[in-house]
Amino acid sequence: MDNPLARYYELKETQKLIEEELNLLRNELLEAYAEAGKAEAGEYQLTINHQERREYNDDKVFNALPDASLWRLMSRADTGKIASLLKLNVVQEQWLTGTYELRKVPVVRVQKR
């Protein structure tokens, strides 16, 4: 491989194209099988589950924290950071009540039997 930078760039461009096509196919599957939950086509099995994800409001989280220094640990209402701080018991779950909205996100899974 003569130029790893060129190869890296090519692979990243290919990755973008693949991700775009995957998103299009995912949307098509969600439209076609939205209510099915499970479907089969030949040797492939489709499963659609819904996950609940929290979307935090920065202002509400900042106002809910008892100490402003805790906000510096988050820098913004990042779901991953908040989940980590909850696991470490740095932040209490009851402090965050009313600071987020639950959003259902469909998860598409296709398996080959």
Side-chain angles (χ1 to χ4, degrees):
M1 189 176 297
D2 292 342
N3 191 347
L5 292 175
R7 182 67 179 144
Y8 183 86
Y9 179 81
E10 288 174 18
L11 289 173
K12 288 302 275 186
E13 290 298 311
T14 305
Q15 180 183 17
K16 286 180 192 175
L17 294 173
I18 291 171
E19 287 176 358
E20 287 175 12
E21 187 174 352
L22 281 170
N23 282 331
L24 288 173
L25 290 170
R26 179 182 184 277
N27 290 335
E28 285 179 26
L29 291 171
L30 287 172
E31 287 177 19
Y33 300 100
E35 297 178 18
K38 286 190 177 190
E40 292 184 19
E43 59 187 60
Y44 296 96
Q45 180 180 13
L46 168 71
T47 306
I48 299 176
N49 295 318
H50 288 83
Q51 282 184 346
E52 285 189 351
R53 294 194 183 155
R54 294 181 179 186
E55 287 187 356
Y56 290 95
N57 180 306
D58 286 346
D59 295 329
K60 289 180 180 179
V61 171
F62 179 77
N63 292 329
L65 296 174
D67 185 4
S69 65
L70 290 172
W71 182 250
R72 282 188 236 137
L73 295 172
M74 293 181 212
S75 72
R76 64 182 182 87
D78 180 275
T79 305
K81 287 181 184 179
I82 292 173
S84 297
L85 292 171
L86 285 168
K87 285 181 184 176
L88 294 170
N89 289 324
V90 173
V91 175
Q92 302 291 321
E93 182 74 38
Q94 64 260 21
W95 296 347
L96 299 175
T97 303
T99 63
Y100 59 87
E101 293 180 16
L102 288 178
R103 185 171 56 110
K104 289 193 175 200
V105 179
V107 178
V108 175
R109 182 176 179 189
V110 176
Q111 291 180 306
K112 187 173 183 178
R113 289 190 267 157

